[in-house]
Amino acid sequence: MIQFNPQDFIPQLSIDSVIFGYKQKKLHVLISELDFGKHVYTLPGGFIKQNQSIDEAALTILNERTGVKDIFLEQFKVFGSSDRKNYEISEIFSTINSSEIAKSLAINKVWLSQRFISIGYYALVDINSSQANPKSWFPIDKLPELIMDHKEIVTEALIALRRNLDEKLIGFNLLPETFTMRNLQELYEAVYEKPFARNNFQKKMLSLGVLERLEKQYTGAANKAPYLYRFKTEK
Amino acid sequence: MIQFNPQDFIPQLSIDSVIFGYKQKKLHVLISELDFGKHVYTLPGGFIKQNQSIDEAALTILNERTGVKDIFLEQFKVFGSSDRKNYEISEIFSTINSSEIAKSLAINKVWLSQRFISIGYYALVDINSSQANPKSWFPIDKLPELIMDHKEIVTEALIALRRNLDEKLIGFNLLPETFTMRNLQELYEAVYEKPFARNNFQKKMLSLGVLERLEKQYTGAANKAPYLYRFKTEK
DNA sequence: TCAAAAGTGTTGCATGTACACCCATGA
DNA sequence: TCATGGGTGTACATGCAACACTTTTGA
């Protein structure tokens, strides 16, 4: 871990990011695994530098984890219950015997044992262009046990995602440059966890007026070749 | 001002509340006027005690200002630009000559001169049951010059209010116990700043299934007496 | 010519909007 | 009986859902 100077950061305030990706027809979430002997799973998070806006801080976290920029990122809720402390981490610190590790972590221990209020951000990234370890992506219905209230943060992020998916047309951020109508529908089905009628889905998406129809995609399959689409660039 | 112990509070984190009320057919906002010789207008705000959740802190602020409880209150956005400091207040403090006042304000000056990240809350209260000074209520289209980014916070709060008005049926919180359909329509028109068709408005409200029709209200006017309505209590 | 998947068309229902009409009230 | 404002009914447009049908593709 790089050296950490608490005075550079705003105390007792953190950011937790729910970074959504999409692969194998399932919505995935990026999870950090910390190994203190005991394994602990958390949302990627961080703190806010004194000279940084909260959006910049969230972007930094996203960028460190995925290498991705220019992607949808938005705050959705603040989590601030009065007992919001990281008891798991505190306990693990207290059981570390190695005086060496303990020393290097001393500052962090004090810092991390405070009560934190956390700003929840969620982001959508194309997994293919992400540099995160593929094993860090977990299907949203198969998340490991997360520390503190991180499971609740994921739940709230999913609600925000659903609310905004076609209103803000952010779903496209999860797909590669070109995609078929079926790809798009499977994405929607993964997000909403329910099936959509194929014909009506197509009409609705086309009526949004943001898709550009490209050439057909011949896969070699014995059926009609689907059109590829691209998200229209503003003219 | 009561004594203020900075160590009881979470540093660099504040709450600013946009408290909406409704009177004279106009949407109003509760504004604090601080008199340091120079007059300064701000949103009612405060800080979060170490042993308090953020919702409790917001409720405390609301209660102190209006005496109202059990009313709609919700966080809607965090304001966290990197230069979010209270330059006006800092400057005023620096020009105060009275060593007496300066002394009593010394701690506060250091505290208040920090960069703050602020959680925006908005609330809806029935002005008639509020104990706030009536002069503190300003029509939303005639707000005084507010410090910092408080004007922007009001703008964002109004967006959140419109998004939630009938989805969460929170509009009723602004009206007295019983009201006519016209009262309700005027409220909606004040919030959305546009007229609604009288007949369709009535049908839409009734179709929500949350209004209970009471007796007629005879005003002495030479026209059909309107029904009074009440927000249905859950059965 | 056949199965599979893509694309298009049609109909019905619900909801929202515009218009018209009737009703109650007190002067 | 009249003006005023309140309440209700009807017709049309729009959007969404369910159904049916046609087209394309490679085996």
Side-chain angles (χ1 to χ4, degrees):
Chain A
M1 191 179 272
I2 341 168
Q3 78 179 58
F4 176 78
N5 290 321
Q7 66 268 28
D8 292 344
F9 293 86
I10 293 182
Q12 297 191 264
L13 189 59
S14 60
I15 286 178
D16 286 308
S17 294
V18 181
I19 302 172
F20 289 111
Y22 176 68
K23 65 175 177 180
Q24 289 150 8
K25 303 187 184 177
K26 285 200 164 183
L27 192 63
H28 286 64
V29 176
L30 192 63
I31 301 290
S32 292
E33 182 176 355
L34 305 178
D35 183 357
F36 298 108
K38 188 177 172 182
H39 288 250
V40 175
Y41 296 88
T42 79
L43 287 174
F47 308 108
I48 301 153
K49 285 199 169 163
Q50 287 292 354
N51 59 2
Q52 218 179 16
S53 76
I54 55 174
D55 284 352
E56 284 163 2
L59 210 58
T60 302
I61 294 166
L62 176 68
N63 198 7
E64 280 170 0
R65 299 306 178 118
T66 66
V68 173
K69 293 177 188 176
D70 294 327
I71 223 62
F72 185 86
L73 179 73
E74 192 172 76
Q75 52 155 286
F76 64 95
K77 190 169 182 182
V78 183
F79 298 83
S81 71
S82 57
D83 65 343
R84 204 177 169 286
K85 292 186 186 180
N86 199 332
Y87 295 109
E88 289 96 331
I89 294 282
S90 300
E91 189 160 333
I92 287 167
F93 274 125
S94 71
T95 59
I96 289 176
N97 292 322
S98 158
S99 64
E100 207 174 329
I101 299 179
K103 192 178 160 191
S104 78
L105 292 178
I107 289 178
N108 296 10
K109 179 183 171 181
V110 173
W111 172 269
L112 289 173
S113 302
Q114 298 173 287
R115 170 193 172 190
F116 271 92
I117 287 166
S118 192
I119 305 173
Y121 272 79
Y122 77 104
L124 305 186
V125 306
D126 173 10
I127 287 186
N128 298 318
S129 60
S130 159
Q131 292 157 25
N133 180 345
K135 287 185 180 172
S136 299
W137 292 102
F138 287 78
I140 195 163
D141 57 353
K142 283 173 189 157
L143 295 180
E145 197 71 25
L146 300 176
I147 62 165
M148 298 174 67
D149 56 357
H150 284 198
K151 183 69 202 294
E152 185 197 344
I153 296 178
V154 172
T155 303
E156 293 284 343
L158 183 58
I159 292 171
L161 169 60
R162 286 180 180 163
R163 192 168 50 227
N164 289 326
L165 193 57
D166 49 73
E167 188 186 331
K168 300 193 177 173
L169 302 167
I170 55 183
F172 304 101
N173 282 334
L174 295 170
L175 293 169
E177 175 71 14
T178 63
F179 48 87
T180 65
M181 196 56 81
R182 169 173 281 255
N183 295 150
L184 184 58
Q185 182 173 340
E186 285 167 345
L187 166 61
Y188 267 70
E189 293 180 342
V191 170
Y192 287 98
E193 289 177 315
K194 67 174 184 185
F196 290 89
R198 185 177 54 84
N199 50 356
N200 295 328
F201 182 84
Q202 174 143 203
K203 274 181 283 191
K204 187 187 166 189
M205 287 300 133
L206 292 178
S207 75
L208 293 175
V210 296
L211 290 182
E212 189 177 353
R213 181 175 276 186
L214 307 172
E215 73 281 8
K216 290 186 177 183
Q217 182 192 50
Y218 292 91
T219 62
N223 53 45
K224 192 169 178 177
Y227 290 104
L228 286 172
Y229 292 89
R230 180 167 55 194
F231 188 36
K232 261 189 201 167
T233 53
E234 356 265 302
K235 53 163 184 290
Chain B
M1 191 179 274
I2 342 167
Q3 80 180 54
F4 177 79
N5 289 322
Q7 65 269 27
D8 292 343
F9 293 86
I10 293 181
Q12 298 192 265
L13 189 59
S14 59
I15 286 178
D16 285 310
S17 294
V18 181
I19 301 172
F20 290 110
Y22 176 67
K23 66 175 177 181
Q24 290 148 9
K25 303 186 185 180
K26 284 201 167 186
L27 192 63
H28 286 63
V29 176
L30 192 62
I31 301 290
S32 291
E33 181 175 356
L34 304 178
D35 184 356
F36 299 109
K38 187 177 175 183
H39 287 251
V40 176
Y41 297 88
T42 79
L43 288 175
F47 308 108
I48 301 153
K49 285 200 170 162
Q50 288 292 355
N51 59 2
Q52 217 179 17
S53 75
I54 55 173
D55 285 352
E56 285 163 3
L59 210 58
T60 303
I61 293 166
L62 176 68
N63 198 7
E64 280 169 1
R65 300 305 179 117
T66 66
V68 173
K69 295 178 187 175
D70 295 326
I71 223 65
F72 186 86
L73 178 73
E74 192 173 77
Q75 53 154 286
F76 64 94
K77 191 170 181 181
V78 183
F79 298 84
S81 71
S82 59
D83 65 343
R84 203 176 171 289
K85 292 186 186 181
N86 199 332
Y87 295 109
E88 288 96 333
I89 294 282
S90 299
E91 189 161 332
I92 287 167
F93 273 125
S94 71
T95 60
I96 288 176
N97 291 322
S98 158
S99 65
E100 207 173 330
I101 300 179
K103 193 177 162 192
S104 78
L105 292 178
I107 290 178
N108 296 12
K109 180 183 172 182
V110 173
W111 172 269
L112 289 173
S113 302
Q114 303 175 99
R115 171 194 172 188
F116 271 93
I117 287 166
S118 191
I119 305 173
Y121 272 79
Y122 77 103
L124 304 187
V125 306
D126 172 10
I127 286 186
N128 298 318
S129 60
S130 159
Q131 293 157 24
N133 180 346
K135 287 187 179 172
S136 299
W137 292 102
F138 287 78
I140 194 162
D141 57 352
K142 282 173 190 158
L143 295 179
E145 196 73 24
L146 300 176
I147 62 164
M148 298 174 68
D149 56 357
H150 284 198
K151 183 70 200 297
E152 185 197 343
I153 296 178
V154 172
T155 303
E156 293 284 342
L158 183 58
I159 292 171
L161 169 59
R162 287 179 180 166
R163 192 168 50 225
N164 289 327
L165 194 57
D166 48 74
E167 188 185 332
K168 301 192 177 174
L169 302 167
I170 55 182
F172 305 101
N173 282 333
L174 295 171
L175 293 169
E177 175 72 13
T178 64
F179 48 86
T180 65
M181 198 54 81
R182 170 174 280 254
N183 296 150
L184 184 58
Q185 181 173 342
E186 286 167 344
L187 166 61
Y188 268 70
E189 293 179 341
V191 170
Y192 288 98
E193 288 176 314
K194 68 173 183 186
F196 290 90
R198 184 178 56 87
N199 50 356
N200 295 329
F201 181 84
Q202 173 143 204
K203 273 180 284 189
K204 186 186 168 189
M205 287 300 132
L206 292 178
S207 75
L208 293 175
V210 296
L211 290 183
E212 190 177 353
R213 182 175 277 184
L214 308 171
E215 74 281 9
K216 291 187 175 182
Q217 181 191 51
Y218 292 90
T219 61
N223 52 43
K224 193 171 177 177
Y227 290 104
L228 286 173
Y229 293 90
R230 178 167 56 192
F231 188 38
K232 260 188 202 166
T233 53
E234 356 265 305
K235 52 161 182 294

